[in-house]
Amino acid sequence: MGVSAFAQVCPSGPDMAQTRSELLARLKVSPDQASGMRLANEIWALWTTAPDQKAQELLDRGMAMRAASDYAGSEHVLDMLVAYCPGYAEGWNQRAFTRFMANRMDASLADIDSALQIEPSHFGALSGRAMILLRQGRTILAQAALRRAVSIHPWLQERAYLVEDTGRDI
């Protein structure tokens, strides 16, 4: 009986922590939307650079299948990615997005939790959490997730969903 090609251990990949930290710091203080979006795109490029070629191929294939509205196929491929590279946050985040598109909100939230455990500054996962919670009518939790996302990426498009925090009577 053969061993699955995905039974191998995923490599850690290149260390991009310093670059990511610098980009996130610059994003937080970016003076305008254009510069903020350029920095966010650079961060997304880091996040979507998988640890090795096998993981990159799975990520790219899963994202392409989702773009073609093949949510079941995309989820299957991204299942293989998170099994192969459980420490790769973007694998979890992309599967969360696929599950969101397939209207599987609770499963999407579980994947977002996994992505955020690995990459707490993942503004994409945080804004995804906010959008799901808003759909579920969980406004207070949604606003908290969105505020956290906007504190990292002040030019995030989803910031339009923020409502003024008027405080609460005790």
Side-chain angles (χ1 to χ4, degrees):
M1 182 176 270
V3 176
S4 166
F6 298 104
Q8 301 172 15
V9 174
C10 178
S12 60
D15 184 5
M16 296 184 271
Q18 181 67 32
T19 302
R20 186 179 62 247
S21 292
E22 290 170 5
L23 289 170
L24 285 165
R26 289 174 49 207
L27 176 61
K28 192 172 201 165
V29 297
S30 57
D32 55 52
Q33 185 166 359
S35 62
M37 297 311 284
R38 277 192 303 275
L39 288 164
N41 288 338
E42 288 183 53
I43 294 165
W44 276 109
L46 289 178
W47 284 338
T48 56
T49 300
D52 70 359
Q53 184 177 348
K54 182 186 307 184
Q56 191 68 56
E57 289 170 2
L58 289 169
L59 178 68
D60 293 345
R61 188 162 37 128
M63 291 170 63
M65 293 172 93
R66 182 184 58 236
S69 301
D70 180 1
Y71 304 131
S74 174
E75 185 170 347
H76 175 72
V77 169
L78 294 170
D79 286 344
M80 290 188 285
L81 176 58
V82 299
Y84 175 58
C85 292
Y88 177 48
E90 198 56 33
W92 295 99
N93 185 58
Q94 291 300 322
R95 189 172 74 175
F97 186 33
T98 293
R99 289 175 166 180
F100 172 83
M101 295 300 294
N103 202 31
R104 298 187 56 228
M105 300 304 160
D106 291 336
S108 182
L109 283 173
D111 281 352
I112 288 169
D113 287 344
S114 295
L116 290 171
Q117 285 178 350
I118 300 163
E119 179 60 69
S121 296
H122 200 303
F123 52 80
L126 287 164
S127 65
R129 172 188 292 286
M131 295 301 97
I132 291 168
L133 294 170
L134 281 173
R135 278 190 178 189
Q136 293 177 334
R138 301 162 69 188
T139 307
I140 293 171
L141 291 173
Q143 288 295 308
L146 194 50
R147 286 184 199 296
R148 188 167 155 216
V150 170
S151 76
I152 298 164
H153 181 356
W155 304 102
L156 193 68
Q157 283 185 321
E158 290 84 356
R159 74 184 183 278
Y161 292 98
L162 281 172
V163 295
E164 185 178 343
D165 186 4
T166 59
R168 293 188 209 139
D169 291 332
I170 298 179

